[in-house]
Amino acid sequence: MRPLTAPRVRNDAPVPLASRVQSRIPWFGNLGKLGQLEAMANNGTVFGIVDRIAPSVARTEWKLYRKAASGREEDRTEVTRHSALDLINRPNPHFTRMLLFETSQQHHDLTGEAPWVVSYVRGFARPLELWPVRPDRLVPVPHPTKYLAGWVYQSPDGEQVPLELHEVIFNRRPNPADPYRGMGPVQAVLTDIYGSKAAAEWNKNFFLNSAEPGGIIEIPRSLQDEDFQRLRMRWNEQHKGVSKAHRVAILEEGVWKDRKYTQRDMQFAELRGVSRDAIMEAFGFPKGMLGITEDVNRSNGEVGEEIFARWLVVPRLDRWRDVLNHSLLPLYGKDTAAKYEFDYDSPVPEDEAAENAARESKANTAKTYIDAGFTGESVQEALELPDALVWEKPEPQPAPAPPEPAPGGAPEPPAPEPAPTPTPPEPPRNRHPHPHRHVRNADLPEPPDGVPATDVDAVEAVDLEPVQADWEHAVAGIMATWVGTVVQDWIDQLIEALRAILRGDDNTPLVDIRVDSSDAAQRLHDAMRDLAAKAADHVVIEADQQGADIQPVTPPDADLDAMAREAAALDADRYGSSAAREAARIRPGLPDDEVIERVRQHLDDLSDAGSREMLAAAMTDAQNQARKATLRSVPDVALYASEVLDTNTCAPCRAVHGRWIANSADMTAVDRLYPTGGYIDCLGRWRCRGTIVGIWRPAQTREGEE
């Protein structure tokens, strides 16, 4: 292991009591954690169980994801390049990822603990290497108020190395009797493990003794030392060892008597079977996974495989995921832990029968809807069917022409016209009603020569974190103003209007109650203008980082003002409508003052989620309009879609991410796909934080011109 360079913890605290607790089985070789580690070599059942669990955990693929704002797993974005991902894939020069996790899982299953020591580069705060260490060599140092002060590692040569908290990542199964250490299944069955080992030792000695039980030479008198030594030497020369088995014993004095206990009497086969079952019970291990065929058939064998994956492997992977997300990622900074998370591919085998039944059920339901006249896209979205399916309702075939009448026969009477089929109503749409919905990559325009149609690496190389940070700050600021000032003013206006209606001073119907939103629109306009200016500056910085010189351009102030007025009016109408509905609901039979108080309380308790969505969409609009205005002023730069700004990425957004949309000389496609805020086909609609980035090629930069 490379020398650890982080500062050391002074270990003035006594060794914790928990670390001095040892096994009380006097015959079980090494005591404590070391004895638990050696159980794998002392018992075949323990070896078989641990040797199946540890590789199964170790071979699982780990992936790093950028978290989604929605919190849903399906909205996460996989990250393929990150130093934390590189670290677990190559933890140190001598360990691979699988060896790291297999070694650590062995430690965890045998002792309930799997510590890693983290090595750092001198002068840097980022982890360099991970080393799995034996749990028996690591001792926690309690702190009187902070739980832990650090750790002490005892090296093989006896040196005690103090370690700080950030130098140890400790994965443990909780021990109810010791808050500092872990507890594994082996601790619960140490007696059974030793009993099985002792039975095996007895069997070995039985065969070394010629497969004969021991006995006693009974002498009727006391022997002198010289006589005793002569008798023992002659007996060993003639009868000791397998090669001298079954010789007739000739005794000058004394009588041979067999011992009463035989191998059958001891029932060692049953004893070892009971020990095996006890160990499997402690681990919760299915019998068939150890190759035991008694009472096992194909059916319960397959169930055993599912139990193994679901109840043995998955809980251990969940512990490792918790360790990676809450102990490893924070070593890269709080922002990293907040934005990213590790997760694994589930090892539980899929139930093909259930999958096929669900697929068939969806197909039949889809056919029913399509036959009823619903559009294929709405059915696909409602049933969450794959995007790869192409929904085309077959055109109705014309009715066959009536047969020609036979010569000289009477003409056939005309067939009655079929009754017109009623057109079913269209299902309600919950997406943008634009004719270009569900844009596919194949539908996007082809880029000019020399411009790649997809360039994800170049797009993700553009640092948009400052853009997201400015947006979050702007939304938080306008939201605070909205809740603290704007909404309170609206509530006061609504209460006064409602009071006038109840007194009879105003004949306005409740349904038409309104508030003045001009002040709110001005506040929102000012916030949008400030964010637009910063967004334009960010485009300039992005261009400069690629070697291009451009100037910031903000959208026309009138456009921002129109957006602000529309957004403020919509939110004001929401409060007005809510006040009118509540007043109409409670007004009959209540005094006017109580109606007023209840409506005010209702408005005070109204969720601000609607306002937050509206304000966030308006700020996204201002930000993207400024980005488009700045890029529009640049001669012929390639514009690409970037859909990982806020980590909330749906399937349509993932499909367009990194895709060339247009060049700045003609931004028709940009205006079509990003008309105001984010991507037009985003399933999150106004919540989309997608944007456009400019990618300068070498010939377009100052370095290229030189």
Side-chain angles (χ1 to χ4, degrees):
M1 184 185 300
R2 297 186 180 182
L4 302 173
T5 58
R8 304 299 177 207
V9 174
R10 180 178 175 81
N11 181 23
D12 293 329
V15 176
L17 177 63
S19 67
R20 298 198 297 266
V21 176
Q22 301 289 341
S23 169
R24 299 307 181 196
I25 303 176
W27 58 78
F28 192 76
N30 296 304
L31 304 180
K33 297 294 181 186
L34 180 57
Q36 296 162 31
L37 292 171
E38 292 180 341
M40 187 173 177
N42 290 328
N43 187 276
T45 304
V46 175
F47 179 90
I49 291 174
V50 175
D51 193 53
R52 282 160 177 77
I53 293 176
S56 298
V57 171
R59 73 168 61 97
T60 303
E61 289 293 330
W62 287 94
K63 295 179 180 179
L64 185 64
Y65 294 93
R66 187 189 294 267
K67 294 180 181 178
S70 65
R72 295 192 297 266
E73 291 186 1
E74 58 268 22
D75 293 338
R76 299 180 302 183
T77 304
E78 184 179 355
V79 178
T80 58
R81 292 181 297 179
H82 195 279
S83 51
L85 195 60
D86 296 338
L87 182 64
I88 68 167
N89 285 329
R90 188 63 174 174
N92 61 64
H94 304 284
F95 277 68
T96 61
R97 186 200 68 207
M98 183 161 181
L99 183 57
L100 170 71
F101 279 95
E102 185 172 5
T103 302
S104 302
Q105 192 57 52
Q106 285 181 348
H107 291 164
H108 193 275
D109 280 319
L110 293 170
T111 68
E113 300 175 2
W116 291 344
V117 171
V118 186
S119 177
Y120 294 82
V121 180
R122 186 181 299 275
F124 292 89
R126 294 291 184 264
L128 173 66
E129 295 172 354
L130 296 175
W131 292 89
V133 296
R134 276 175 30 186
D136 62 308
R137 295 190 178 277
L138 199 65
V139 178
V141 181
H143 190 279
T145 59
K146 299 180 180 179
Y147 180 66
L148 270 182
W151 303 82
V152 175
Y153 173 77
Q154 182 172 349
S155 65
D157 59 4
E159 179 186 1
Q160 291 191 343
V161 182
L163 301 172
E164 291 191 358
L165 293 177
H166 70 276
E167 293 182 276
V168 175
I169 294 176
F170 197 63
N171 181 8
R172 67 184 177 93
R173 186 195 302 260
N175 188 334
D178 188 344
Y180 296 99
R181 305 307 301 251
M183 181 175 70
V186 170
Q187 287 177 259
V189 289
L190 277 176
T191 304
D192 297 278
I193 292 173
Y194 177 74
S196 178
K197 180 182 179 183
E201 290 285 348
W202 195 95
N203 283 334
K204 182 188 72 173
N205 293 331
F206 174 79
F207 284 104
L208 289 178
N209 195 36
S210 308
E212 292 286 348
I216 299 172
I217 301 175
E218 187 177 283
I219 306 296
R221 61 181 177 82
S222 176
L223 293 178
Q224 298 295 325
D225 290 345
E226 181 179 353
D227 295 334
F228 174 79
Q229 293 295 337
R230 184 173 64 255
L231 175 61
R232 187 181 67 169
M233 181 181 65
R234 291 177 61 187
W235 181 267
N236 289 341
E237 287 177 353
Q238 297 180 28
H239 302 286
K240 185 176 182 180
V242 178
S243 62
K244 301 174 183 178
H246 309 297
R247 286 186 178 183
V248 177
I250 301 175
L251 303 176
E252 296 180 2
E253 289 183 290
V255 178
W256 171 266
K257 291 187 176 182
D258 287 337
R259 293 171 60 182
K260 296 298 182 182
Y261 293 107
T262 66
Q263 188 184 37
R264 179 177 180 180
D265 294 331
M266 296 296 288
Q267 294 183 320
F268 283 125
E270 291 81 358
L271 174 63
R272 298 196 69 182
V274 170
S275 299
R276 181 196 68 188
D277 292 344
I279 296 169
M280 292 171 59
E281 178 182 305
F283 279 92
F285 201 86
K287 182 183 293 187
M289 295 297 294
L290 277 179
I292 301 171
T293 57
E294 58 192 41
D295 302 326
V296 175
N297 52 38
R298 179 181 180 88
S299 178
N300 57 29
E302 292 177 352
V303 172
E305 291 183 10
E306 183 175 353
I307 292 174
F308 174 78
R310 189 181 302 277
W311 298 110
L312 291 178
V313 178
V314 167
R316 286 160 171 80
L317 292 174
D318 288 342
R319 285 195 178 95
W320 283 116
R321 178 175 59 189
D322 189 65
V323 167
L324 294 176
N325 289 333
H326 298 286
S327 297
L328 178 62
L329 282 180
L331 300 180
Y332 292 86
K334 294 182 179 179
D335 290 343
T336 300
K339 293 181 180 179
Y340 299 94
E341 63 181 356
F342 278 101
D343 206 347
Y344 58 86
D345 292 339
S346 175
V348 180
E350 295 183 358
D351 189 338
E352 294 186 4
E355 291 285 339
N356 292 336
R359 190 180 302 112
E360 183 177 354
S361 175
K362 284 188 176 183
N364 292 333
T365 305
K367 183 179 184 303
T368 301
Y369 280 126
I370 292 293
D371 291 343
F374 291 102
T375 62
E377 291 180 351
S378 65
V379 173
Q380 184 179 27
E381 184 176 338
L383 297 179
E384 298 181 353
L385 296 170
D387 290 340
L389 295 176
V390 178
W391 296 91
E392 294 182 358
K393 186 174 181 180
E395 294 293 334
Q397 299 296 323
E404 292 291 335
E412 292 284 341
E417 294 185 1
T421 303
T423 303
E426 283 288 325
R429 296 180 180 270
N430 60 354
R431 296 281 305 283
H432 298 284
H434 292 278
H436 52 271
R437 294 172 62 219
H438 296 291
V439 175
R440 310 296 182 204
N441 280 353
D443 300 329
L444 295 174
E446 289 297 325
D449 293 340
V451 177
T454 302
D455 198 344
V456 175
D457 291 339
V459 169
E460 294 186 350
V462 178
D463 185 12
L464 293 179
E465 289 193 5
V467 177
Q468 177 68 8
D470 279 352
W471 178 84
E472 292 174 353
H473 180 75
V475 171
I478 189 60
M479 191 64 193
T481 300
W482 212 259
V483 174
T485 303
V486 170
V487 171
Q488 294 305 315
D489 178 56
W490 287 350
I491 292 176
D492 291 340
Q493 292 182 48
L494 290 169
I495 293 301
E496 287 303 317
L498 180 59
R499 184 176 283 114
I501 293 174
L502 294 176
R503 286 197 308 257
D505 299 340
D506 190 344
N507 294 326
T508 303
L510 281 175
V511 72
D512 292 333
I513 190 171
R514 292 290 182 271
V515 297
D516 181 9
S517 62
S518 57
D519 179 67
Q522 184 59 49
R523 293 175 183 271
L524 180 56
H525 168 263
D526 294 342
M528 293 173 66
R529 182 178 56 196
D530 293 343
L531 182 60
K534 293 179 181 179
D537 290 338
H538 281 306
V539 178
V540 174
I541 295 173
E542 295 163 14
D544 181 70
Q545 292 173 345
Q546 299 181 59
D549 294 320
I550 65 174
Q551 297 298 318
V553 179
T554 56
D557 204 57
D559 292 349
L560 296 180
D561 184 66
M563 299 177 204
R565 288 183 179 279
E566 180 180 358
L570 289 173
D571 201 38
D573 286 346
R574 184 170 67 90
Y575 274 86
S577 300
S578 184
R581 284 195 302 269
E582 183 66 11
R585 185 182 72 85
I586 66 175
R587 181 180 181 183
L590 287 180
D592 291 351
D593 290 343
E594 188 170 350
V595 173
I596 292 294
E597 288 305 316
R598 289 199 180 188
V599 171
R600 179 182 287 277
Q601 185 63 46
H602 171 74
L603 295 176
D604 286 337
D605 294 340
L606 199 62
S607 172
D608 62 1
S611 298
R612 184 179 298 276
E613 287 184 349
M614 182 276 301
L615 294 173
M619 303 309 282
T620 298
D621 197 354
Q623 199 173 56
N624 273 1
Q625 294 302 329
R627 293 183 64 85
K628 290 200 299 184
T630 303
L631 291 169
R632 198 185 303 272
S633 67
V634 181
D636 210 32
V637 63
L639 306 179
Y640 286 79
S642 176
E643 293 295 331
V644 294
L645 189 58
D646 66 345
T647 74
N648 187 10
T649 307
C650 62
C653 289
R654 284 194 295 270
V656 81
H657 175 61
R659 183 66 163 82
W660 178 86
I661 303 299
N663 276 15
S664 58
D666 181 8
M667 297 182 63
T668 303
V670 172
D671 294 334
R672 182 169 64 93
L673 300 182
Y674 293 81
T676 52
Y679 181 45
I680 195 69
D681 274 344
C682 175
L683 297 180
R685 296 181 288 176
W686 56 83
R687 302 182 189 90
C688 183
R689 294 282 296 124
T691 191
I692 296 295
V693 298
I695 302 299
W696 279 262
R697 303 301 167 187
Q700 300 169 310
T701 64
R702 53 179 176 266
E703 288 82 359
E705 293 171 355
E706 293 173 358

